[in-house]
Amino acid sequence: MLQSRDLAMRFEAYADWRRRLSAAISSLHEWLTQQDLADAQVDLKVQQLLERLHQDKLVVAFVAEFSRGKSELINAIFFAEFGQRLLPSSAGRTTMCPTELLYDAGRPPSIRLLPIETRLKDATVAEFKNYADEWVTIALDLASADRMSEVLSRVSQVKTVPVELARKYGLFDDGDDLIASFDRQEEGTIDIPCWRHAVINFPHPLLQQGLVILDTPGLNAIGTEPELTLSHLPNAHALLFILSADAGVTKTDLEVWNDYLAGDDESTKAGRLVILNKIDGLWDEMRSAADVEAEIGRQVKQTAQMLGVPASQVYAVSAQKGLLAKVNGDDALLAKSKLPQLEQALSLKLIPAKRDIVGAATQAEVRDVIRGVRTILRQRAAGIDEQLAEMRALRGKNQDVVQHMMDRVKQEKDLFERGLARYTALRNVFTEQTTKLLDYIGLEALRLNAGRTRRAIENSLFTKGLRGALSDFFGNIRDDLDKASQQSTEIHEMMRAMYARFAKEHAVELYDPPAFSVLKYRKEVERLERAYNQHFNTLWNMASKAKFALMRRFFETVATRVKHVYDVANRDVEAWLKAVMAPLETQVREHHTQLRRRLDSIKRIHRAGDELEERIAELEQQAESLALQIRGLKAEIAVVDDVVAQPEMPLAANG
Ligand SMILES: Nc1nc2c(ncn2[C@@H]2O[C@H](COP(=O)(O)OP(=O)(O)OP(=O)(O)O)[C@@H](O)[C@H]2O)c(=O)[nH]1
Ligand SMILES: [Mg+2]
């Protein structure tokens, strides 16, 4: 049974690693606070970083045509301990709405269901998530697996409604296969799902550690809920595509594959595994094990060819027998189901890749947090060195020399203070420029742009007008991003010049402010536009009026995604602006303090000539403790780096 624990163990190791990483960052923060080096900006950044690490999610989505065994596979991989099927799995369409399995400690164990009627409103599922009253919530009784699976069977609920209503929901369309061809009842009515989306909040150990599982219904529902295509699937860290050995690769399987998984779009290149399920159908007592194995191998090869992936990426399994074997503790059957190989592949592909990404991002953020601290420490060290050199040069010199030096420092200080007005002026220009920058990517601009597009969609009866409105929508966004990019370049150049001048005039270390790039937002918007264009034709070619409702809903989803991009961009810009401005302010303040200190010590020496050696000793002492501080900081960062570099907990040998 060891192998089947692979995934759980690796996942636990990953969660443990995240905890160790958080501990290292907290220790760094504590140290900074003790040393009086943490300002409000540092506190905030550390807090955000810890929050992100704590909430880090790993999303695994199961995608396939209906009845390929997605839900059964989830039961077998994740929930066998319950000794029975937790998610409903049966012949025909079973899972009727996208179902997320996750754990949020802030809520009691429950299933939350979003009624299908919400499809009449323009809001997206993500938006509805903010409104508890829109959902039907049913508590989960963890003590009883029976009652739990009974409650979870709600995801299969359907109801019979007039065709007209189904059309309004965008769930039915004459003559078009893409729109749900749910079971038709008597003339004029149709069965549709009761729910639009389900969220199962369940304290399973893996879910508690941040795993999120997304179970999807077959093709039709994917097509009618644009959020799946635009956000859920591209954001998943692993996509599992399931085929069934008894059906082979059918036309609709290929459609699902081509539409949602095959794309070479970088942003959807998450770990992808192809699973050939139900190989137990090929088991045959009358044939030798080797024969059966060869047959499975042939099917795997064929499947790989049809999908255009290497055969090594296709995993043949029997979800059903795997579940049964785990429930009965039947190791021989478990081995035969080949489920352990799939689990191992999943854990090997998924978790190390995720850890690398999180590790690199965390390191970059830690560097960012301490960048300012480092500059200050180095500036202090340089200041002390300079003072020491000055003092040492005074050894054995007469009062005149001291007087001369005092005049020089005083002059320097006066010059600096007069120059301070320049920084105030710069601040004003900076504020002006940042206001412009924030306007370009402001939510108000987006709101107006979306409003115009919405009206154009309402008013267009022809493809051409509609297409134009939408390409305008994306065109405007691109323009905004371009302008924001130019503006940020201007700000960057201005600040660079300022730092260069400051460094030169006051002989302090040159600070190179980070640049800002809009590339990642542009890429995300481009991806949305591509997805939109891909869907546009399908939607437009539909015969009935339902297409307008669908078109609108699709647009709203896109608009929500774009808003999210803007939200992130705004947050990033604000952080960036602080990162380019704050060090200058600190440098100015530090330099000012140092000039005052220098002048003070020379004044004292001027008054009482015998203080020189004392003062030199004092400075040497300061230099020493500063060096100690710099070493301390290095050591704290090394702890974070060590955790990032540390390989996962070694797995027990399992053959
Ligand atoms: N023989 C065999 N049957 C399986 C296997 N896996 C799943 N099934 C059966 O296939 C049927 C469909 O399985 P589900 O898990 O409901 O499939 P699904 O992909 O979730 O389907 P939808 O929820 O309708 O999209 C059920 O009757 C399962 O018992 C398997 O490995 N072998
Ligand atoms: Mg299912």
Side-chain angles (χ1 to χ4, degrees), residues 67-72 89-91 94-95 277-278 280 319-320:
S67 227
R68 298 294 181 255
K70 296 177 291 284
S71 304
E72 189 80 326
S89 156
S90 62
T94 308
T95 312
N277 189 25
K278 307 199 190 180
D280 54 298
Q320 196 188 53

Side-chain angles (χ1 to χ4, degrees), residues 18-34 46-47 49-51 53 366 636 639-640:
R18 260 164 43 221
R19 275 190 291 274
R20 280 185 288 141
L21 195 53
S22 300
I25 292 164
S26 297
S27 146
L28 165 67
H29 187 218
E30 225 166 85
W31 183 87
L32 288 173
T33 312
Q34 269 169 18
V46 168
Q47 191 202 329
L49 183 54
L50 290 176
E51 185 84 352
L53 272 176
V366 167
E636 290 290 333
V639 175
V640 175

Side-chain angles (χ1 to χ4, degrees), residues 258-459:
N258 287 330
D259 287 354
Y260 306 106
L261 291 114
D264 59 1
D265 192 345
E266 274 301 317
S267 51
T268 58
K269 250 199 177 137
R272 252 172 285 184
L273 296 181
V274 177
I275 291 144
L276 184 64
N277 189 25
K278 307 199 190 180
I279 54 163
D280 54 298
L282 303 173
W283 297 351
D284 184 347
E285 316 273 87
M286 310 281 286
R287 292 163 72 184
S288 72
D291 267 5
V292 171
E293 222 20 68
E295 176 58 29
I296 293 174
R298 261 195 301 280
Q299 287 222 15
V300 164
K301 223 169 124 190
Q302 246 175 24
T303 306
Q305 267 168 4
M306 291 197 64
L307 301 182
V309 298
S312 59
Q313 214 179 308
V314 181
Y315 293 84
V317 301
S318 168
Q320 196 188 53
K321 298 297 184 251
L323 176 61
L324 186 69
K326 283 188 182 180
V327 169
N328 294 335
D330 182 343
D331 285 359
L333 186 62
L334 184 61
K336 207 171 165 193
S337 78
K338 296 184 191 281
L339 198 59
Q341 278 100 311
L342 169 61
E343 290 176 343
Q344 198 169 28
L346 189 60
S347 61
L348 276 175
K349 282 201 174 186
L350 187 59
I351 295 168
K354 181 77 194 319
R355 210 195 49 197
D356 286 352
I357 294 169
V358 171
T362 304
Q363 270 177 319
E365 289 201 46
V366 167
R367 293 280 179 286
D368 191 44
V369 167
I370 51 135
R371 210 212 277 247
V373 174
R374 274 200 165 134
T375 312
I376 294 176
L377 290 182
R378 278 201 297 258
Q379 201 178 345
R380 280 183 192 163
I384 289 175
D385 282 352
E386 198 176 338
Q387 278 195 65
L388 261 176
E390 246 166 30
M391 295 293 145
R392 284 181 184 138
L394 288 179
R395 276 177 172 148
K397 296 282 167 19
N398 60 23
Q399 280 295 78
D400 285 352
V401 181
V402 178
Q403 175 72 50
H404 178 71
M405 178 157 291
M406 192 167 81
D407 291 345
R408 224 185 58 203
V409 177
K410 195 163 177 338
Q411 237 174 22
E412 208 179 311
K413 180 168 165 282
D414 289 346
L415 192 75
F416 180 78
E417 279 167 1
R418 275 201 300 280
L420 281 180
R422 267 217 313 274
Y423 299 111
T424 320
L426 172 84
R427 247 257 70 139
N428 292 340
V429 180
F430 183 78
T431 309
E432 245 169 59
Q433 297 211 355
T434 53
T435 310
K436 262 199 226 161
L437 172 57
L438 289 169
D439 276 352
Y440 289 140
I441 51 163
L443 292 178
E444 182 59 16
L446 178 63
R447 204 179 60 76
L448 293 175
N449 187 8
R452 273 195 304 275
T453 314
R454 221 169 265 133
R455 277 192 300 282
I457 293 180
E458 300 292 333
N459 298 334

